[in-house]
Amino acid sequence: MTDKEIREIRRRFRPDKNNIISLKGCIVNSEKTIISQFSQSIAQSAGGESEKLLSVMRKSLSGSAGINLHDLEYSAREAMESEQHKMLLALRDSQLKDDELLNSFYETVIQSVSFEGNFAILLVHDTYDVFYYTEDGEKEEEASTQFSYIVCSICPVKELKAGLYFREYDGSFREFDNYSVLSNPDLGFMFPTFDDRATNIYNVLFYTRDSSDVHPAFVENIFGVDVPVSSQEKKDNLGSCLKETLEDECDFEVMKTVHDHVSVMVQEHKLAKVEEPLLLSKETFREVLETCGVDEERVVSFEDKFDEQFGEDAEIPPKAVVNLKKFELITPDVQIKVNPERTDLVSTQVIDGVRYIMIKANTGVEVNGVNIDIK
């Protein structure tokens, strides 16, 4: 799914924009026992409640492609033979009205996740009338299809044992006891996906709040497909590719150039307003390494290592390579944070056999909040 298509579905999660009849789900305790099941009407809930519930579900469609959102794909054969795929289709086709099927799904989820405290499994079904438009932007009333899909969110539930709350209408504090507060989802998914503004039963859009944790057991048990590589693992793998193949040529200038080059690509991609997400291939890194003057033999070695780590023709999202909001240098004793737009202020140098990190600092230098002079 493109960013535009994800945004289109996310806009459905407003009280007046969807065909969601009810929110289905259950509350599970830390012993993995269901302590309550519910089917809460969205249409008949108070405006504030329905909006907040839909907002929680909408979080499972948020984040960056390849970082928080992973497009999981079934082959035609896997879709025919996979019990997990059959379960997802059955949930969608039943519009969440089959209690036996729901209970089976709940139990599978419960055995596939781990939370320290209570958590909630939330499910909604929506049917979206997808209209098409002419080149002039006019809606074609006769040309429309229906997109039927489910969204699931797995959310921690915080227990507030006792406390005081303020009642505004009479200006007083009142005691409360044993409130369960729903948190934003740790993981979730949408099935099927909305590709080219049409139904694609061969893909699942999987969400994970913590980009370093892709919940392997959940992916295996609920979807039955290969577990995606986390963004941290992608970053570590790329670092391994660079260090092992470039060896002593993997220096500060190379890493700075990689950061700067990727940052420029991201900005140009934004300005071009391209719908497809930006992805980096080994050809991208070849261009960067050649710019740095890296030896051709080592560039080829890097490409081979890249194929080994990520697979041939693999592409990775920029955020899995660099943090575009910060630039850091770390030693065992010192951590330096640099404005990503001013990496030109930093260089490295060897003086009398000692390695140094050099930072231009003409004005505005503070130590523990005190302006100092450099003499």
Side-chain angles (χ1 to χ4, degrees):
M1 288 177 65
T2 65
D3 289 342
K4 184 178 180 180
E5 288 166 339
I6 294 172
R7 289 196 301 271
E8 184 173 351
I9 297 301
R10 208 159 49 216
R11 284 195 294 270
R12 299 282 301 165
F13 285 77
R14 298 279 189 269
D16 59 338
K17 296 288 186 182
N18 60 73
N19 292 313
I20 298 172
I21 297 174
S22 62
L23 175 76
K24 300 290 182 78
C26 64
I27 304 294
V28 184
N29 65 19
S30 56
E31 283 75 40
K32 296 196 171 187
T33 300
I34 295 176
I35 57 178
S36 180
Q37 292 195 36
F38 52 85
S39 177
Q40 181 169 342
S41 170
I42 293 293
Q44 296 179 0
S45 296
E49 290 177 358
S50 62
E51 188 170 347
K52 286 182 172 61
L53 286 169
L54 292 171
S55 176
V56 169
M57 301 300 294
R58 190 168 64 244
K59 293 287 186 182
S60 293
L61 303 173
S62 62
S64 302
I67 305 296
N68 308 99
L69 292 173
H70 300 272
D71 218 354
L72 309 182
E73 186 174 1
Y74 292 92
S75 66
R77 180 174 181 177
E78 286 172 334
M80 290 180 60
E81 299 177 354
S82 167
E83 292 301 319
Q84 292 92 335
H85 189 267
K86 291 175 184 176
M87 177 182 65
L88 294 175
L89 272 178
L91 283 169
R92 192 278 304 263
D93 294 343
S94 72
Q95 299 184 7
L96 307 180
K97 295 176 181 177
D98 186 329
D99 290 338
E100 184 177 345
L101 183 60
L102 282 172
N103 287 330
S104 176
F105 175 76
Y106 295 153
E107 289 300 329
T108 305
V109 171
I110 290 168
Q111 300 308 315
S112 305
V113 297
S114 179
F115 288 88
E116 291 184 2
N118 294 0
F119 65 95
I121 304 171
L122 310 178
L123 278 164
V124 293
H125 171 268
D126 184 30
T127 303
Y128 179 24
D129 293 321
V130 183
F131 289 93
Y132 298 96
Y133 296 85
T134 65
E135 292 182 359
D136 298 329
E138 295 294 325
K139 182 188 290 186
E140 298 183 44
E141 298 292 344
E142 302 301 322
S144 67
T145 59
Q146 277 199 334
F147 175 55
S148 174
Y149 65 101
I150 59 173
V151 172
C152 175
S153 297
I154 318 295
C155 308
V157 174
K158 296 179 181 179
E159 298 296 322
L160 301 181
K161 298 299 182 182
L164 296 171
Y165 73 96
F166 184 71
R167 241 171 27 183
E168 291 185 11
Y169 70 85
D170 66 357
S172 64
F173 287 97
R174 288 291 185 264
E175 183 180 15
F176 71 83
D177 187 33
N178 292 329
Y179 270 102
S180 296
V181 179
L182 187 67
S183 300
N184 287 329
D186 265 16
L187 67 160
F189 67 88
M190 180 178 84
F191 176 83
T193 55
F194 187 58
D195 292 312
D196 296 325
R197 306 191 74 244
T199 301
N200 178 4
I201 65 168
Y202 297 102
N203 283 60
V204 178
L205 187 66
F206 172 55
Y207 166 81
T208 174
R209 181 185 61 81
D210 182 355
S211 61
S212 65
D213 184 1
V214 292
H215 302 274
F218 185 86
V219 172
E220 291 171 0
N221 295 336
I222 301 300
F223 308 129
V225 297
D226 292 337
V227 178
V229 179
S230 72
S231 61
Q232 185 59 52
E233 190 175 350
K234 290 174 185 175
K235 190 172 184 179
D236 291 343
N237 287 346
L238 181 65
S240 175
C241 287
L242 289 168
K243 188 60 183 173
E244 290 182 20
T245 58
L246 303 190
E247 297 178 343
D248 60 337
E249 288 193 68
C250 186
D251 59 13
F252 174 77
E253 288 303 321
V254 166
M255 297 310 300
K256 184 168 81 72
T257 303
V258 169
H259 189 284
D260 293 347
H261 189 90
V262 172
S263 297
V264 169
M265 290 181 66
V266 170
Q267 291 302 318
E268 290 177 345
H269 188 265
K270 280 184 179 180
L271 292 173
K273 296 182 179 179
V274 180
E275 291 184 14
E276 294 294 333
L278 175 64
L279 295 172
L280 309 178
S281 65
K282 67 181 178 184
E283 285 76 19
T284 306
F285 295 104
R286 163 177 273 279
E287 181 181 339
V288 174
L289 298 178
E290 287 177 340
T291 300
C292 297
V294 173
D295 180 81
E296 173 65 19
E297 185 177 339
R298 289 183 174 179
V299 173
V300 172
S301 178
F302 169 83
E303 291 181 317
D304 292 341
K305 189 68 175 178
F306 187 93
D307 287 342
E308 179 186 324
Q309 290 280 17
F310 297 100
E312 290 188 22
D313 302 321
E315 296 177 312
I316 55 181
K319 288 185 179 179
V321 179
V322 298
N323 187 331
L324 301 176
K325 295 181 179 179
K326 66 179 181 180
F327 185 84
E328 288 185 324
L329 296 91
I330 299 174
T331 76
D333 302 305
V334 178
Q335 181 174 343
I336 302 169
K337 295 183 179 180
V338 183
N339 180 345
E341 296 180 0
R342 295 309 312 270
T343 57
D344 59 295
L345 297 175
V346 185
S347 62
T348 57
Q349 192 171 343
V350 179
I351 303 174
D352 295 333
V354 180
R355 296 178 177 89
Y356 290 92
I357 298 171
M358 316 295 287
I359 303 172
K360 293 180 183 178
N362 293 326
T363 59
V365 180
E366 293 185 3
V367 175
N368 292 335
V370 179
N371 286 312
I372 66 163
D373 292 323
I374 299 178
K375 299 179 179 179

